[in-house]
Amino acid sequence: MIHPLPQVLVFDMDGVLVDVSQSYRESIRRTVEHFTGVLVSHAEVQACKNRGGMNNDWDASYQLILERGMRPSYEEVVACFQRIFWGDNGDGLIREERWLPRPGLLERLAERFRLAIFTGRLRQEAEHTLRRFAAGVRFDPVVAHEDVTRSKPAPDGLLLIAEAVLGRRLLYVGDSVDDARAAGAAGVPFVGIVAPHNPRPAELRRLFEQERAVAILGDVNELEECLA
């Protein structure tokens, strides 16, 4: 059990609320393939993420492309990634996302805690997925890519949420080392998610331990018991 109990649960989206293995992660792989002709593995993508400073999938795509000797502009990489992921009005790989919380989980948590989101997604993409899967759940505030000058691992998004909730105790639930470092920089306890299908689970778990996660779970659905 986590003690003292938080008053506000802040969720990252990708890998926590949403399985993005066939959406964002696959978009990284296909973007790299477009510029290099090489389809990198999911393990290579995870290794890139585990280095830190690669929370933004555009940055991760660009880095993997540069490492393979190609030199497109950053803007070209972003445009390609968005064509693959978003498509025309949400008909790209974003359609392949799967919602992870079991029915009723978030509604029960909302009876005890205020729910918020700090995500690296563009606001349009975050709102699209929340409308699709969780239209009946209130997350307030939702801090997205456009709301911060510095992205994770900078703590800016968590600090914005702390200001919005008037100093209530926060808990951040994320699935990357950058999530953990953002929480640490903001002075917010962190719960790490290491999903069973993660291609480098031992490495990620070790990183979370180094960042002093208060708990490490295999799935967001284990959070309710953690907060019992």
Side-chain angles (χ1 to χ4, degrees):
M1 178 178 173
I2 294 170
H3 182 78
L5 283 177
Q7 296 162 308
V8 183
L9 302 181
V10 185
F11 295 93
D12 178 41
M13 287 187 68
D14 304 337
V16 176
L17 297 177
V18 189
D19 179 353
V20 295
S21 58
Q22 298 304 312
S23 60
Y24 276 111
R25 293 297 176 99
E26 185 64 20
S27 295
I28 293 174
R29 297 175 73 228
R30 294 192 192 182
T31 300
V32 175
E33 182 183 33
H34 174 82
F35 288 101
T36 70
V38 176
L39 186 63
V40 296
S41 68
H42 283 283
E44 289 173 287
V45 173
Q46 186 64 48
C48 181
K49 291 280 190 177
N50 286 354
R51 297 178 209 166
M54 292 290 157
N55 185 73
N56 187 316
D57 290 343
W58 299 337
D59 294 347
S61 301
Y62 188 58
Q63 181 63 31
L64 288 167
I65 290 165
L66 294 180
E67 289 173 2
R68 282 151 184 82
M70 306 304 292
R71 295 291 184 271
S73 71
Y74 185 78
E75 291 73 20
E76 289 174 317
V77 172
V78 171
C80 177
F81 184 98
Q82 289 303 111
R83 283 195 304 272
I84 294 167
F85 176 74
W86 182 249
D88 296 317
N89 197 31
D91 63 354
L93 289 183
I94 193 170
R95 295 176 302 177
E96 304 303 316
E97 294 184 332
R98 183 172 64 89
W99 192 245
L100 293 172
R102 296 190 190 107
L105 172 70
L106 294 173
E107 290 81 357
R108 290 191 301 274
L109 290 174
E111 293 175 359
R112 302 171 55 207
F113 310 98
R114 181 166 172 171
L115 308 183
I117 284 176
F118 173 31
T119 178
R121 287 185 180 221
L122 296 170
R123 179 164 295 278
Q124 178 187 38
E125 295 166 2
E127 291 178 347
H128 176 92
T129 294
L130 292 174
R131 283 195 304 270
R132 179 183 175 192
F133 293 112
V137 180
R138 184 169 186 258
F139 295 96
D140 178 39
V142 174
V143 175
H145 173 80
E146 299 93 327
D147 299 315
V148 296
T149 302
R150 301 181 303 163
S151 58
K152 305 172 199 174
D156 301 25
L158 288 172
L159 297 177
L160 281 175
I161 292 172
E163 291 175 10
V165 301
L166 301 175
R168 297 179 186 176
R169 290 190 304 274
L170 307 184
L171 178 73
Y172 190 35
V173 185
D175 78 319
S176 75
V177 66
D178 284 333
D179 292 332
R181 290 171 180 167
V188 171
F190 176 75
V191 170
I193 302 291
V194 181
H197 61 265
N198 187 293
R200 302 178 76 95
E203 181 181 319
L204 185 57
R205 178 175 286 273
R206 184 173 66 254
L207 288 167
F208 286 161
E209 290 170 350
Q210 291 172 357
E211 297 299 326
R212 300 184 179 180
V214 296
I216 300 174
L217 310 177
D219 186 281
V220 71
N221 294 288
E222 298 174 13
L223 181 63
E224 191 171 23
E225 182 177 350
C226 229
L227 298 168

